[in-house]
Amino acid sequence: MALKIVDSCINCDVCEPVCPNQAIYQGVEIYEIDPERCTECVGHFDEPQCRKLCPIDDCIPQDPAHVESQEQLLAKFRRLTSGELAPV
């Protein structure tokens, strides 16, 4: 499942640079996560780095609109790192 950033985001700029997939970007009002690039850090880390470093509890929940299994997240990681999906 991809993650999403909710309205409690304070735009602290902590999450964007730690995303290994370049899935986080500055939206119109708050940071946003591209579900096509978010692997919840599967393949890179044991836990999502954006969640780990975010100072606001529950600011980065799973996105129920983008349900994916661990296997699907790992396959997305492989596509991203193989160059099938171009960097942002």
mmCIF file of all heavy atoms in Angstrom, residues 16 19-26 32-38 80 85-88:
data_model
loop_
_atom_site.group_PDB
_atom_site.id
_atom_site.type_symbol
_atom_site.label_atom_id
_atom_site.label_comp_id
_atom_site.label_asym_id
_atom_site.label_seq_id
_atom_site.Cartn_x
_atom_site.Cartn_y
_atom_site.Cartn_z
ATOM 1 N N GLU A 16 10.756 14.741 2.347
ATOM 2 C CA GLU A 16 11.149 14.722 0.926
ATOM 3 C C GLU A 16 12.570 14.206 0.694
ATOM 4 O O GLU A 16 12.773 13.297 -0.121
ATOM 5 C CB GLU A 16 10.976 16.103 0.302
ATOM 6 C CG GLU A 16 11.293 16.117 -1.177
ATOM 7 C CD GLU A 16 11.203 17.496 -1.784
ATOM 8 O OE1 GLU A 16 11.370 18.502 -1.056
ATOM 9 O OE2 GLU A 16 10.982 17.565 -2.990
ATOM 10 N N CYS A 19 13.208 10.219 1.109
ATOM 11 C CA CYS A 19 12.502 9.232 0.280
ATOM 12 C C CYS A 19 13.452 8.670 -0.774
ATOM 13 O O CYS A 19 13.909 9.394 -1.658
ATOM 14 C CB CYS A 19 11.290 9.870 -0.395
ATOM 15 S SG CYS A 19 10.402 8.696 -1.443
ATOM 16 N N PRO A 20 13.749 7.368 -0.728
ATOM 17 C CA PRO A 20 14.696 6.789 -1.676
ATOM 18 C C PRO A 20 14.138 6.667 -3.095
ATOM 19 O O PRO A 20 14.889 6.459 -4.041
ATOM 20 C CB PRO A 20 14.984 5.408 -1.090
ATOM 21 C CG PRO A 20 13.749 5.071 -0.334
ATOM 22 C CD PRO A 20 13.263 6.378 0.236
ATOM 23 N N ASN A 21 12.831 6.811 -3.253
ATOM 24 C CA ASN A 21 12.204 6.667 -4.560
ATOM 25 C C ASN A 21 11.777 7.992 -5.182
ATOM 26 O O ASN A 21 11.127 7.998 -6.220
ATOM 27 C CB ASN A 21 10.978 5.757 -4.456
ATOM 28 C CG ASN A 21 11.351 4.366 -4.031
ATOM 29 O OD1 ASN A 21 12.324 3.801 -4.499
ATOM 30 N ND2 ASN A 21 10.581 3.803 -3.115
ATOM 31 N N GLN A 22 12.107 9.080 -4.547
ATOM 32 C CA GLN A 22 11.700 10.407 -5.009
ATOM 33 C C GLN A 22 10.186 10.472 -5.213
ATOM 34 O O GLN A 22 9.698 11.068 -6.169
ATOM 35 C CB GLN A 22 12.433 10.786 -6.298
ATOM 36 C CG GLN A 22 13.931 10.850 -6.122
ATOM 37 C CD GLN A 22 14.660 11.105 -7.418
ATOM 38 O OE1 GLN A 22 14.229 10.683 -8.482
ATOM 39 N NE2 GLN A 22 15.777 11.804 -7.323
ATOM 40 N N ALA A 23 9.448 9.854 -4.294
ATOM 41 C CA ALA A 23 7.989 9.817 -4.386
ATOM 42 C C ALA A 23 7.335 11.029 -3.723
ATOM 43 O O ALA A 23 6.175 11.312 -3.973
ATOM 44 C CB ALA A 23 7.453 8.540 -3.735
ATOM 45 N N ILE A 24 8.080 11.737 -2.883
ATOM 46 C CA ILE A 24 7.513 12.859 -2.133
ATOM 47 C C ILE A 24 7.879 14.165 -2.819
ATOM 48 O O ILE A 24 9.023 14.376 -3.214
ATOM 49 C CB ILE A 24 8.012 12.843 -0.678
ATOM 50 C CG1 ILE A 24 7.593 11.528 -0.004
ATOM 51 C CG2 ILE A 24 7.483 14.049 0.083
ATOM 52 C CD1 ILE A 24 8.142 11.317 1.375
ATOM 53 N N TYR A 25 6.893 15.022 -2.958
ATOM 54 C CA TYR A 25 7.102 16.317 -3.603
ATOM 55 C C TYR A 25 6.207 17.368 -2.951
ATOM 56 O O TYR A 25 5.210 17.040 -2.303
ATOM 57 C CB TYR A 25 6.815 16.228 -5.109
ATOM 58 C CG TYR A 25 5.385 15.813 -5.420
ATOM 59 C CD1 TYR A 25 4.403 16.777 -5.663
ATOM 60 C CD2 TYR A 25 5.014 14.474 -5.447
ATOM 61 C CE1 TYR A 25 3.095 16.413 -5.934
ATOM 62 C CE2 TYR A 25 3.712 14.104 -5.706
ATOM 63 C CZ TYR A 25 2.756 15.079 -5.954
ATOM 64 O OH TYR A 25 1.457 14.706 -6.212
ATOM 65 N N GLN A 26 6.572 18.626 -3.122
ATOM 66 C CA GLN A 26 5.789 19.720 -2.562
ATOM 67 C C GLN A 26 4.550 19.916 -3.422
ATOM 68 O O GLN A 26 4.654 20.215 -4.600
ATOM 69 C CB GLN A 26 6.601 21.009 -2.508
ATOM 70 C CG GLN A 26 5.845 22.195 -1.942
ATOM 71 C CD GLN A 26 5.413 22.009 -0.493
ATOM 72 O OE1 GLN A 26 6.219 21.713 0.380
ATOM 73 N NE2 GLN A 26 4.136 22.165 -0.235
ATOM 74 N N GLU A 32 3.119 15.901 -0.868
ATOM 75 C CA GLU A 32 2.289 14.820 -1.381
ATOM 76 C C GLU A 32 3.189 13.648 -1.750
ATOM 77 O O GLU A 32 4.400 13.807 -1.889
ATOM 78 C CB GLU A 32 1.505 15.292 -2.607
ATOM 79 C CG GLU A 32 0.537 16.411 -2.270
ATOM 80 C CD GLU A 32 -0.270 16.877 -3.472
ATOM 81 O OE1 GLU A 32 -0.453 16.091 -4.429
ATOM 82 O OE2 GLU A 32 -0.712 18.029 -3.451
ATOM 83 N N ILE A 33 2.573 12.468 -1.899
ATOM 84 C CA ILE A 33 3.308 11.261 -2.255
ATOM 85 C C ILE A 33 2.732 10.696 -3.544
ATOM 86 O O ILE A 33 1.524 10.489 -3.653
ATOM 87 C CB ILE A 33 3.230 10.208 -1.127
ATOM 88 C CG1 ILE A 33 3.893 10.745 0.144
ATOM 89 C CG2 ILE A 33 3.880 8.897 -1.562
ATOM 90 C CD1 ILE A 33 3.820 9.826 1.344
ATOM 91 N N ASP A 34 3.605 10.434 -4.503
ATOM 92 C CA ASP A 34 3.201 9.819 -5.760
ATOM 93 C C ASP A 34 3.059 8.316 -5.514
ATOM 94 O O ASP A 34 4.059 7.633 -5.264
ATOM 95 C CB ASP A 34 4.270 10.090 -6.821
ATOM 96 C CG ASP A 34 3.962 9.455 -8.165
ATOM 97 O OD1 ASP A 34 2.997 8.665 -8.275
ATOM 98 O OD2 ASP A 34 4.707 9.743 -9.118
ATOM 99 N N PRO A 35 1.836 7.775 -5.573
ATOM 100 C CA PRO A 35 1.642 6.350 -5.284
ATOM 101 C C PRO A 35 2.332 5.428 -6.290
ATOM 102 O O PRO A 35 2.592 4.267 -5.977
ATOM 103 C CB PRO A 35 0.130 6.172 -5.313
ATOM 104 C CG PRO A 35 -0.379 7.311 -6.114
ATOM 105 C CD PRO A 35 0.582 8.444 -5.905
ATOM 106 N N GLU A 36 2.642 5.936 -7.463
ATOM 107 C CA GLU A 36 3.346 5.127 -8.459
ATOM 108 C C GLU A 36 4.820 4.932 -8.091
ATOM 109 O O GLU A 36 5.472 4.037 -8.600
ATOM 110 C CB GLU A 36 3.251 5.773 -9.845
ATOM 111 C CG GLU A 36 1.839 5.832 -10.382
ATOM 112 C CD GLU A 36 1.226 4.451 -10.567
ATOM 113 O OE1 GLU A 36 1.915 3.567 -11.099
ATOM 114 O OE2 GLU A 36 0.065 4.269 -10.174
ATOM 115 N N ARG A 37 5.337 5.756 -7.217
ATOM 116 C CA ARG A 37 6.748 5.680 -6.823
ATOM 117 C C ARG A 37 6.930 5.209 -5.371
ATOM 118 O O ARG A 37 8.025 4.814 -4.990
ATOM 119 C CB ARG A 37 7.410 7.039 -6.998
ATOM 120 C CG ARG A 37 7.354 7.542 -8.447
ATOM 121 C CD ARG A 37 8.215 8.742 -8.654
ATOM 122 N NE ARG A 37 9.630 8.387 -8.604
ATOM 123 C CZ ARG A 37 10.322 7.834 -9.604
ATOM 124 N NH1 ARG A 37 9.736 7.589 -10.742
ATOM 125 N NH2 ARG A 37 11.593 7.549 -9.468
ATOM 126 N N CYS A 38 5.878 5.269 -4.562
ATOM 127 C CA CYS A 38 5.996 4.903 -3.141
ATOM 128 C C CYS A 38 5.991 3.389 -2.974
ATOM 129 O O CYS A 38 5.063 2.707 -3.390
ATOM 130 C CB CYS A 38 4.851 5.514 -2.333
ATOM 131 S SG CYS A 38 4.924 5.085 -0.581
ATOM 132 N N LEU A 80 11.473 0.419 -10.286
ATOM 133 C CA LEU A 80 12.076 1.744 -10.065
ATOM 134 C C LEU A 80 13.597 1.682 -10.151
ATOM 135 O O LEU A 80 14.219 2.559 -10.749
ATOM 136 C CB LEU A 80 11.667 2.301 -8.703
ATOM 137 C CG LEU A 80 10.239 2.813 -8.584
ATOM 138 C CD1 LEU A 80 9.846 2.969 -7.117
ATOM 139 C CD2 LEU A 80 10.085 4.137 -9.313
ATOM 140 N N LEU A 85 10.879 2.976 -14.512
ATOM 141 C CA LEU A 85 10.186 4.216 -14.202
ATOM 142 C C LEU A 85 11.253 5.289 -14.080
ATOM 143 O O LEU A 85 12.128 5.194 -13.236
ATOM 144 C CB LEU A 85 9.386 4.100 -12.888
ATOM 145 C CG LEU A 85 8.197 3.149 -12.909
ATOM 146 C CD1 LEU A 85 7.576 3.057 -11.530
ATOM 147 C CD2 LEU A 85 7.158 3.589 -13.909
ATOM 148 N N ALA A 86 11.176 6.278 -14.903
ATOM 149 C CA ALA A 86 12.186 7.335 -14.918
ATOM 150 C C ALA A 86 12.128 8.154 -13.650
ATOM 151 O O ALA A 86 11.052 8.373 -13.091
ATOM 152 C CB ALA A 86 11.977 8.235 -16.131
ATOM 153 N N PRO A 87 13.286 8.639 -13.151
ATOM 154 C CA PRO A 87 13.284 9.492 -11.971
ATOM 155 C C PRO A 87 12.541 10.793 -12.238
ATOM 156 O O PRO A 87 12.450 11.233 -13.376
ATOM 157 C CB PRO A 87 14.763 9.769 -11.702
ATOM 158 C CG PRO A 87 15.531 9.132 -12.787
ATOM 159 C CD PRO A 87 14.599 8.389 -13.676
ATOM 160 N N VAL A 88 12.036 11.358 -11.179
ATOM 161 C CA VAL A 88 11.292 12.619 -11.276
ATOM 162 C C VAL A 88 12.233 13.752 -11.561
ATOM 163 O O VAL A 88 13.316 13.830 -11.116
ATOM 164 C CB VAL A 88 10.517 12.882 -9.969
ATOM 165 C CG1 VAL A 88 9.805 14.223 -10.040
ATOM 166 C CG2 VAL A 88 9.547 11.774 -9.704
#
